[in-house]
Amino acid sequence: MTPGDGMARFPRARPRRLRRTAALRELVRETRVEPSDLVYPLFIDDRGPARVPVPSLPGVDRLSIEAAAEEAAGAWRDGIRALLLFGIPDTKDARGARADHPGGVIQRALPALREAAPDMVLITDVCLCEYTDHGHCGIIRDGEVDNDATLERLAAQAVSHACAGADLVAPSDMMDGRVGAIREALDEAGRADVGILSYAAKYASTFYGPFRDAADSAPAFGDRRSYQMDPRNAEEALREVALDVGEGADLLMVKPALPCLDIVRRVKERFERPTAAYMVSGEYAMIEAAAERGWLDALAAHREAVHSIRRAGADLVVTYAARRLARDRGDA
Ligand code: PBG
């Protein structure tokens, strides 16, 4: 509807009437963010002290299993209902042996988190880059990431997480066919109840930089452009998502978030599935860095960002600021 097809014009139309008081603004508010719309990522480190701050992610720590359990209980009290877990193993090797080891960090963390926050939705990142010494998301053969050899490893990792108590597994590797391979392996292992949150449209983004500091997962050679998507493409994202839906993805994720609001909207509208967007480490760090200089208010910026992502159509937002936002009451 435009002025001219029956819509009032100025001076009859005065949009400011509905912005006059806080209560009026609240009455006509179109988008809300509840703590239960937020997913809180945790880095669980098998090597070290309880809490080690990540310099490029102010306010984010690498946690021991015990500290992660405390964080989970606190997050539950703040209203957070889902955690996304990243493991940092004690040792790394070429095939990521610790990724699917029953004594691995995620496998031991899951029961501890379950005890600390029994009803929390526990989502595990499924990918090899945190576990390989070369930092790539898969098995290297002849200097390249071998897609089909990687699928087996990812399926084993997913089954191992499911058996240790994950509610959902979240493959973030971008190998072709991984959702199908994981679904089949879970079903065969008797874990048909465990769902898949697929990083369905994941771009080769420069905004993952601080994450790689946190997880020590920067690739030792080359980059991830032979498996993650070119940020110049949108139709390709829709094809990627369609494949994952066909292979059995239960929830879809777009990543990064703010640079991809167009993709979030198109994925939500086309596939009509629960859709998450991951506001990644670099997106968080930009806000924190500007705030450190006194250039903007970090909490207000995080709040505006998650509302924008929800407005674009995301049901869920993964953000390192989840706990701070869940406690935030300053939205009037
Ligand atoms: C693992 C993975 C990455 C992120 C989530 N899962 C790193 C990458 O792909 O390089 C990035 C998350 C963030 O930047 O916050 N593959």
Side-chain angles (χ1 to χ4, degrees):
M1 188 182 248
T2 50
D5 11 282
M7 189 182 151
R9 293 165 188 257
F10 179 79
R12 263 202 203 154
R14 289 185 181 271
R16 288 184 56 192
R17 282 181 200 125
L18 298 183
R19 298 183 201 134
R20 205 165 45 81
T21 67
L24 270 169
R25 291 193 293 272
E26 208 176 335
L27 198 69
V28 298
R29 191 162 284 167
E30 297 176 35
T31 307
R32 287 188 163 76
V33 177
E34 302 293 335
S36 56
D37 301 322
L38 302 173
V39 178
Y40 185 36
L42 297 183
F43 295 104
I44 311 179
D45 190 341
D46 219 359
R47 299 165 307 180
R51 284 177 180 268
V52 180
V54 181
S56 52
L57 289 174
V60 176
D61 296 333
R62 302 202 231 201
L63 306 167
S64 66
I65 291 177
E66 297 69 37
E70 261 169 45
E71 194 67 26
W76 179 268
R77 283 195 300 275
D78 291 338
I80 300 287
R81 294 295 175 257
L83 302 177
L84 179 58
L85 309 176
F86 295 95
I88 305 161
D90 48 357
T91 57
K92 304 194 185 210
D93 57 28
R95 54 189 293 278
R98 298 303 282 175
D100 60 330
H101 195 283
V105 60
I106 292 296
Q107 289 80 354
R108 290 177 3 261
L110 283 163
L113 296 173
R114 182 66 68 211
E115 201 182 325
D119 298 318
M120 186 72 90
V121 177
L122 300 176
I123 311 172
T124 58
D125 186 77
V126 169
C127 189
L128 296 184
C129 67
E130 297 110 274
Y131 299 90
T132 52
D133 51 10
H134 47 70
H136 275 291
C137 301
I139 299 298
I140 305 289
R141 221 163 255 171
D142 301 326
E144 287 187 21
V145 175
D146 182 324
N147 192 86
D148 298 10
T150 303
L151 295 183
E152 248 173 69
R153 299 289 303 128
L154 295 168
Q157 185 184 17
V159 167
S160 170
H161 290 176
C163 293
D167 294 297
L168 300 172
V169 292
S172 68
D173 52 283
M174 288 302 276
M175 296 303 122
D176 295 332
R178 87 258 206 238
V179 171
I182 290 171
R183 183 69 272 156
E184 202 176 307
L186 288 170
D187 292 353
E188 267 171 27
R191 300 319 313 254
D193 54 326
V194 171
I196 301 177
L197 162 59
S198 169
Y199 288 69
K202 175 169 173 176
Y203 287 92
S205 171
T206 197
F207 292 106
Y208 307 152
F211 174 95
R212 294 175 189 170
D213 292 343
D216 282 333
S217 64
F221 61 91
D223 55 42
R224 302 210 202 289
R225 285 183 291 181
S226 77
Y227 39 103
Q228 299 179 351
M229 283 185 351
D230 186 339
R232 294 161 186 81
N233 299 347
E235 289 177 355
E236 185 188 7
L238 300 178
R239 292 195 296 274
E240 278 281 2
V241 175
L243 286 166
D244 285 9
V245 168
E247 289 174 30
D250 299 285
L251 303 95
L252 305 171
M253 184 137 77
V254 174
K255 179 182 168 198
L258 294 177
C260 299
L261 295 180
D262 58 325
I263 308 297
V264 172
R265 161 64 53 192
R266 290 173 77 176
V267 166
K268 182 64 193 169
E269 281 184 353
R270 178 164 312 185
F271 297 97
E272 300 175 318
R273 294 283 197 294
T275 301
Y278 195 149
M279 189 169 158
V280 300
S281 56
E283 298 177 78
Y284 174 90
M286 285 195 293
I287 290 176
E288 294 299 314
E292 269 179 16
R293 294 188 166 199
W295 288 354
L296 45 77
D297 172 342
L299 187 57
H302 287 301
R303 188 194 299 136
E304 184 172 330
V306 296
H307 279 92
S308 310
I309 296 164
R310 290 266 297 145
R311 197 188 64 229
D315 303 293
L316 301 172
V317 184
V318 182
T319 168
Y320 300 97
R323 241 190 118 174
R324 282 151 72 189
L325 288 166
R327 285 199 226 117
D328 176 28
R329 293 285 171 269
D331 203 8

